[in-house]
Amino acid sequence: MSLRLVSAALLCVAVTVALAWAVLDRPLPEENLPDRVAAAMPESGVDHPVTAVLLNFRSYDTLLEIAVLLLAVVVALALREAQPDQPEAMGLDNPLLRAVMAWLLPLILIVAGFLLWAGSYQPGGAFQAGSVLAAAGVLLRLAGVTTAWLDNATLMRAGLALGLLTFLGVGLLVMIPGAPFLTYPLEYAGTLILVIELTLTLSIGLTLISLFRLTPPYADDPDEAREQAGKTP
Amino acid sequence: MPWLDLLLGLTLVVTAGLALAARDLFRAVVMFIVFGLLMALAWVRLHAPDIALAEAAIGAGLTGVLLLDTLGYLRRPFGSRVDKPGKHQ
């Protein structure tokens, strides 16, 4: 065994031991957080503790998460190869997929809507609904369906930024009566959270779709590509 | 169901190992998707259905799609590349 292998193995063992030690030696939590969340639930405006934590008690974290997502997609846009998008080149040319999509699409949209709505009282929410929306976009893309509104760059970018802007806007709006940033007034909390989640769902869905769509299309000229493939070993 | 949980945990470790050790990239991606779906089951067993939903949709589904897409991009002939010629394996 070479020195590199030995040192890599030693490093792996050391990290494993450190991880095990960290897990076994963690300090006991000083406060019982689940109990505190349960006690504060009436002030949250929703009935599901996870949603309450994500969008009310710790909404600042979620706001930053959305900002990071937006940043990631902006970088992906910037790194994209400068060439026109070719939806038909991405499609699988599969009539069965097209036919099935006609049945599946309404169902997928209903599931996304349900997940979004369910987020206020049971597992679900913006992230899950957004990724289901994105799955619909990916399937449409694979079926070779052209979506003109997705190719409209201005509209697409507005959609990508909508979630973060609404989140920020709501956070700033509640400061007008004098509340701290992102502290929703009790009587509007449920509505505000639903509005934020609705726009977040759209933006997250669009973000994930664009990450998939931004990958460069396959061969520009099939004949030339085949010729090149024949030359290379 | 301690035995089922043990089996689930072991399968997770095995699929993770297979995904890492696979020489064929396509096999590795498929193993990664299998790992993601089993991970979603593990989250359900840990009473975290929110994370299970996100894991199944994003971890297994969309990441899998993105990885497969990248694989297709890596395998396409390099004559079609617009800007710069690269190494062909």
Side-chain angles (χ1 to χ4, degrees):
Chain A
M1 264 203 297
S2 68
L3 186 67
R4 276 175 67 186
L5 272 179
V6 173
S7 48
L10 278 179
L11 201 64
C12 285
V13 172
V15 169
T16 311
V17 169
L19 272 177
W21 182 62
V23 167
L24 292 175
D25 195 48
R26 66 180 167 192
L28 287 171
E30 290 176 17
E31 289 186 64
N32 194 339
L33 286 176
D35 281 355
R36 281 193 64 185
V37 169
M41 278 308 286
E43 301 163 24
S44 68
V46 289
D47 294 327
H48 185 52
V50 175
T51 310
V53 170
L54 279 180
L55 281 153
N56 199 335
F57 305 149
R58 302 286 301 180
S59 49
Y60 196 63
D61 298 16
T62 314
L63 179 72
L64 291 182
E65 246 170 62
I66 299 302
V68 168
L69 263 184
L70 185 62
L71 199 64
V73 92
V74 167
V75 170
L77 273 166
L79 287 179
R80 184 187 188 190
E81 280 182 48
Q83 55 187 352
D85 205 11
Q86 296 167 299
E88 66 282 356
M90 291 282 290
L92 295 178
D93 194 23
N94 186 338
L96 190 62
L97 186 58
R98 271 170 180 261
V100 169
M101 271 314 284
W103 288 91
L104 268 184
L105 191 62
L107 208 62
I108 294 177
L109 293 180
I110 289 173
V111 168
F114 169 74
L115 278 174
L116 172 65
W117 185 251
S120 59
Y121 60 92
Q122 69 180 55
F127 278 89
Q128 289 85 346
S131 50
V132 171
L133 269 190
V138 168
L139 278 175
L140 275 181
R141 176 74 159 178
L142 286 178
V145 177
T146 48
T147 37
W149 58 275
L150 273 182
D151 293 325
N152 184 335
T154 321
L155 209 61
M156 184 76 178
R157 284 170 200 182
L160 287 174
L162 181 70
L164 182 67
L165 290 181
T166 312
F167 211 152
L168 269 178
V170 169
L172 290 173
L173 205 66
V174 296
M175 291 173 83
I176 295 174
F181 184 55
L182 281 174
T183 311
Y184 319 127
L186 185 54
E187 58 265 42
Y188 300 119
T191 319
L192 288 178
I193 289 179
L194 192 65
V195 169
I196 293 175
E197 283 215 287
L198 188 66
T199 52
L200 283 189
T201 304
L202 276 178
S203 287
I204 291 170
L206 282 178
T207 302
L208 295 173
I209 292 175
S210 12
L211 283 181
F212 178 70
R213 287 168 45 91
L214 292 180
T215 51
Y218 297 110
D220 301 301
D221 180 3
D223 289 322
E224 189 199 335
R226 217 170 289 130
E227 198 182 302
Q228 288 284 332
K231 275 185 209 161
T232 45
Chain B
M1 301 201 290
W3 286 107
L4 270 182
D5 290 343
L6 199 66
L7 187 68
L8 186 59
L10 276 179
T11 326
L12 271 177
V13 175
V14 170
T15 44
L18 284 175
L20 284 174
R23 292 237 161 214
D24 181 18
L25 284 179
F26 180 74
R27 183 183 296 246
V29 173
V30 170
M31 276 301 153
F32 178 81
I33 296 174
V34 171
F35 171 81
L37 289 174
L38 288 172
M39 195 69 217
L41 276 183
W43 285 122
V44 171
R45 290 296 299 152
L46 288 168
H47 303 291
D50 288 86
I51 309 180
L53 276 174
E55 173 72 38
I58 301 178
L62 279 169
T63 315
V65 165
L66 278 176
L67 286 174
L68 285 177
D69 193 45
T70 311
L71 210 58
Y73 172 62
L74 287 176
R75 281 181 180 170
R76 73 178 180 161
F78 271 84
S80 58
R81 203 169 244 202
V82 173
D83 46 0
K84 52 186 181 295
K87 277 181 289 182
H88 196 284
Q89 57 174 356

